[in-house]
């Protein structure tokens, strides 16, 4: 299994598979402080909402450990570490979920001791990582029941092992379906501007010998219209209690295309992606990224220097376009009123960060 986020106890460091270099180069970067982890998240060396959450959890442990020999107020130091990590990617729900979870555990039991706090944070980060893998496996098992032998499905961006602690959400559905002996084909959207589909999903799927074909984003419509796609499955960065889904820019038009052509549109996400404190899509903060991500592809300039650019990293798909949400707790279908709280079964406590 691809392990994109791994802690090394001998060196006390977090190793991240640098996703900005894939598929051309396989190189790991080592983080030894919360600052390095925050930088790795902002620069998308680690990306995908669940993987970002896991990395941030380890970032808190690294931050507390690095302050063990300094005098200073424990609570303010913890606050500063959490704020730094929370300021990296505003749409990724799992980021805030993981930071809150680690912070609660540390505040409850560290007693103001940095070494104890670092140890508690590290244990919680390990638990978050292990749980994420288990949740993705369950998502895969539920999702695979929806994929029929001989079908072709389409996916967008990368919601695979690279985007999680391993196994993946949308790609976890494909992994589980294959483990169940199903035969199927996959179309992979390239996913401009940063090409997570072409660089990362294509890499993951081809490494493992899936029958996958890469397409440019603007080809999906004609494939769906021509009956060459029987299902679409994507991941999610944040899902509100009423089922509005923020995911990689380009997800919403795919959902519209799927609805118009009568093709099922599925979202696969763990419980940690649900933000029960939000109801509607316009409450989700959408990250806007550097304009040069649109002006350049792989370092090559493709637009005039000063050309104005708009670069939102995510869009929001409303529940009426989503056939079902595949979670680790079951398949949510249809999505209205109480169906999400009933299956996810929790109200998110007020945020600490
Ligand atoms: O900007 P990215 O690459 O972090 O965006 C990733 C996505 O949109 C994924 O679909 C989402 O995080 C789910 S990953 C299981």
């Amino acid at each position: 299994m691809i392990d994109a986020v791994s802690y090394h106890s001998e060196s006390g460091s977090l190793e991240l598979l640098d996703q900005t270099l894939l598929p051309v180069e396989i190189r790991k970067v080592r983080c030894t402080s919360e600052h390095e982890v925050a930088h790795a998240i902002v620069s998308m060396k680690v990306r995908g909402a669940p993987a970002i959450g896991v990395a941030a959890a380890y970032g808190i442990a690294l931050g507390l450990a690095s302050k063990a020999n300094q005098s200073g107020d424990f609570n303010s130091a913890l606050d500063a570490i959490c704020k730094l990590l929370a300021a990296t990617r505003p749409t990724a729900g799992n980021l805030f979920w993981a930071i809150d979870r680690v912070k609660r555990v540390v505040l409850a039991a560290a007693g103001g001791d940095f070494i104890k706090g670092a140890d508690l944070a590290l244990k919680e980060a390990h638990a978050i990582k292990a749980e994420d893998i288990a949740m993705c496996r369950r998502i895969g098992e539920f999702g695979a029941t929806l994929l029929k032998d001989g079908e072709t499905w389409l996916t967008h961006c990368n919601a695979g092992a690279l985007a999680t602690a391993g196994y993946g959400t949308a790609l976890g559905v494909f992994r589980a379906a294959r483990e169940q002996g199903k035969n199927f084909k996959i179309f992979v959207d390239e996913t401009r501007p940063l090409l997570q589909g072409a660089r990362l999903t294509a890499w993951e799927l081809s490494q493992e010998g899936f029958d996958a074909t890469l397409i440019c984003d603007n080809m999906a419509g004609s494939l769906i219209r021509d009956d060459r796609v029987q299902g679409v499955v994507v991941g999610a960065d944040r899902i509100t209690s009423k089922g509005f889904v923020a995911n990689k820019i380009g997800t919403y038009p795919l959902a519209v295309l799927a609805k118009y052509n009568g093709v099922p549109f599925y979202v696969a996400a763990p419980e940690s992606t649900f933000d029960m404190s939000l109801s509607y899509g316009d409450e989700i903060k959408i990250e806007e990224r550097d304009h040069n991500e649109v002006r350049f592809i792989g370092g090559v300039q493709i637009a005039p220097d000063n050309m104005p650019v708009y670069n939102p990293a995510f869009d929001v798909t409303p529940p009426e376009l989503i056939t079902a949400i595949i979670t680790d707790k079951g398949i949510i279908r249809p999505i209205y009123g109480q169906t999400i709280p009933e299956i996810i079964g929790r109200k998110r406590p007020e945020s600490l960060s």
Side-chain angles (χ1 to χ4, degrees):
M1 197 166 68
I2 297 161
D3 191 6
V5 185
S6 52
Y7 182 78
H8 287 256
S9 43
E10 322 79 61
S11 55
S13 63
L14 184 67
E15 267 192 17
L16 303 171
L17 183 57
D18 187 341
Q19 298 190 34
T20 62
L21 302 176
L22 285 172
V24 179
E25 198 181 327
I26 298 173
R27 195 199 298 167
K28 296 218 168 182
V29 284
R30 192 168 276 196
C31 302
T32 53
S33 70
E34 74 274 30
H35 299 282
E36 285 173 358
V37 174
H39 180 256
I41 296 173
V42 170
S43 60
M44 293 179 67
K45 290 179 170 45
V46 58
R47 34 68 51 200
I52 292 169
V54 174
Y58 283 112
I60 299 175
L62 292 175
L64 290 174
S66 70
K67 286 158 192 56
N69 299 322
Q70 294 169 19
S71 57
D73 178 55
F74 179 84
N75 284 6
S76 348
L78 177 63
D79 253 2
I81 294 166
C82 292
K83 284 211 169 81
L84 174 82
L85 291 162
T88 50
R89 305 268 333 256
T91 310
N94 309 59
L95 170 67
F96 306 98
W97 172 87
I99 291 172
D100 273 5
R101 177 168 158 174
V102 175
K103 194 174 179 186
R104 267 173 219 283
V105 168
V106 170
L107 279 176
D113 184 301
F114 281 99
I115 294 179
K116 205 164 168 195
D119 194 44
L120 285 163
L122 186 59
K123 285 204 179 85
E124 204 58 22
H126 287 327
I128 289 172
K129 182 175 173 182
E131 285 169 29
D132 186 74
I133 295 170
M135 287 193 292
C136 284
R137 284 195 178 275
R138 285 198 294 276
I139 289 169
E141 280 163 27
F142 284 122
T145 64
L146 302 167
L147 195 162
K148 295 190 196 71
D149 208 57
E151 285 188 338
T152 300
W153 280 28
L154 171 71
T155 191
H156 188 66
C157 193
N158 173 265
L162 290 165
T164 59
Y167 205 74
T169 56
L171 300 194
V173 172
F174 297 138
R175 289 196 166 94
R178 187 156 80 168
E179 284 163 23
Q180 290 173 12
K182 288 184 176 165
N183 287 307
F184 54 92
K185 293 180 194 295
I186 306 163
F187 279 118
V188 178
D189 267 357
E190 64 177 355
T191 319
R192 269 285 279 155
L194 292 181
L195 303 171
Q196 289 93 330
R199 296 186 305 103
L200 308 176
T201 296
W203 182 74
E204 263 195 66
L205 294 179
S206 59
Q207 287 267 312
E208 294 175 26
F210 281 93
D211 187 345
T213 302
L214 180 64
I215 57 168
C216 297
D217 297 323
N218 50 6
M219 297 170 186
S222 65
L223 285 178
I224 293 175
R225 188 210 53 204
D226 292 348
D227 280 338
R228 295 180 64 187
V229 175
Q230 285 75 48
V232 180
V233 64
V234 297
D237 271 74
R238 202 187 285 227
I239 305 176
T240 72
S241 63
K242 290 189 185 295
F244 288 81
V245 172
N247 191 51
K248 180 53 55 196
I249 193 79
T251 299
Y252 168 70
L254 274 185
V256 174
L257 280 168
K259 181 84 171 179
Y260 185 73
N261 289 280
V263 169
F265 182 89
Y266 301 111
V267 173
E271 187 202 344
S272 46
T273 303
F274 287 80
D275 185 342
M276 305 302 273
S277 71
L278 306 182
S279 301
Y280 295 98
D282 55 8
E283 295 166 51
I284 303 173
K285 185 164 171 39
I286 299 296
E287 175 184 2
E288 241 196 279
R289 293 188 59 88
D290 193 316
H291 292 178
N292 281 339
E293 290 180 355
V294 176
R295 290 193 196 103
F296 288 76
I297 298 183
V300 176
Q301 187 168 348
I302 55 147
D305 287 330
N306 299 322
M307 186 66 197
V309 163
Y310 175 50
N311 185 19
F314 302 96
D315 59 25
V316 175
T317 301
E320 62 269 21
L321 297 180
I322 302 167
T323 311
I325 304 180
I326 308 160
T327 77
D328 51 299
K329 298 204 162 166
I331 297 172
I332 305 177
R333 168 163 55 181
I335 305 151
Y336 67 85
Q338 284 305 300
T339 55
I340 290 180
E342 266 163 28
I343 293 208
I344 295 304
R346 77 180 155 80
K347 191 151 174 35
R348 176 173 288 227
E350 227 168 86
S351 172
L352 291 170
S353 46

